[in-house]
Amino acid sequence: MGKLIGYARVSTRQQDADRQVSDLLAAGVRRDDIYIDHGVSGGRASRPQFDRAVAALESGDTLVITTLDRLGRSTQNMLTFAETLRSRGAALRVRNLGGGDVDTHTPMGSMVFTVMAALAQMELEIKRERVTDSVAKRRAAGKDLGGRRQTFTDSQIRNAVRLVESGEPATQVARDLGMSRATLHRRIRELPVPAA
């Protein structure tokens, strides 16, 4: 049997991966064989420590993760990744998936992984749909959407408009204000029309 390589990921720098590391150690992964990404989204294609973990895998080895969402977001990417591992002679083990470990070394584990990957993506899409629906309803009702409070006054935005109209590049004006050009243009569109 090959070596176990562990991978853990937390999305923000404020989070810690202690629980994931404990689970990986309990699964038999040596501490030296655990790779951890801090402050990296699962949606990113390139994750430095994940890439190192995958590069460390040899034929007969198994990549161990604690939960399916540590691997990625889309079913297609997860299935492609599992197939890539299989073609290299390596496997994937997901702890805590469906009440126990799922190991793609076995036909049953491979099938369960495929089903669970599809369910994970469906769950993510349902969450997105609910958030989008909630935002649309709150916006239609004229309710506060929360989020970051407006930090620029209408007066500041009007001054920015004057600068742009006088020939200053919009990108530079936006940068000087500490916002993106797209945000500046959005704020300009949102300016109240002065009463005639």
Side-chain angles (χ1 to χ4, degrees):
M1 180 168 162
K3 185 164 59 166
L4 298 177
I5 302 289
Y7 175 69
R9 178 183 61 77
V10 288
S11 300
T12 69
R13 296 238 175 244
Q14 292 74 33
Q15 295 173 312
D16 66 57
D18 295 348
R19 197 175 97 219
Q20 292 178 62
V21 170
S22 294
D23 283 353
L24 293 172
L25 293 171
V29 180
R30 289 180 38 236
R31 189 170 291 278
D32 292 346
D33 292 325
I34 295 176
Y35 297 82
I36 306 168
D37 274 318
H38 292 276
V40 177
S41 165
R44 284 185 47 188
S46 176
R47 292 165 274 169
Q49 294 302 311
F50 179 74
D51 295 343
R52 287 186 61 212
V54 172
L57 289 167
E58 297 177 2
S59 182
D61 291 348
T62 300
L63 178 67
V64 182
I65 56 176
T66 57
T67 57
L68 198 55
D69 63 343
R70 300 302 87 191
L71 190 58
R73 298 285 188 216
S74 107
T75 303
Q76 188 58 48
N77 288 348
M78 286 189 247
L79 296 177
T80 301
F81 176 71
E83 185 54 42
T84 300
L85 287 183
R86 194 175 301 123
S87 70
R88 290 176 50 184
L92 174 68
R93 183 189 307 167
V94 184
R95 308 254 311 150
N96 311 320
L97 183 62
D101 282 12
V102 171
D103 191 335
T104 61
H105 266 131
T106 67
M108 181 60 108
S110 186
M111 188 272 304
V112 169
F113 173 78
T114 301
V115 170
M116 296 307 282
L119 290 173
Q121 182 173 352
M122 182 184 77
E123 180 182 13
L124 181 66
E125 289 170 4
I126 288 171
K127 282 181 186 175
R128 282 185 187 145
E129 197 173 271
R130 285 181 183 153
V131 168
T132 302
D133 184 50
S134 174
V135 167
K137 284 178 181 173
R138 291 183 68 78
R139 193 170 273 143
K143 293 186 178 177
D144 182 18
L145 296 177
R148 210 167 45 180
R149 294 283 168 228
Q150 180 175 338
T151 56
F152 301 100
T153 65
D154 290 346
S155 174
Q156 288 172 304
I157 301 302
R158 283 191 186 94
N159 286 335
V161 169
R162 282 188 213 96
L163 288 170
V164 170
E165 288 172 348
S166 71
E168 286 285 325
T171 305
Q172 186 60 47
V173 172
R175 188 177 303 133
D176 291 344
L177 279 172
M179 65 173 67
S180 71
R181 195 178 87 187
T183 301
L184 175 62
H185 286 296
R186 179 180 54 78
R187 288 298 315 279
I188 291 170
R189 285 191 307 271
E190 293 171 352
L191 274 175
V193 178

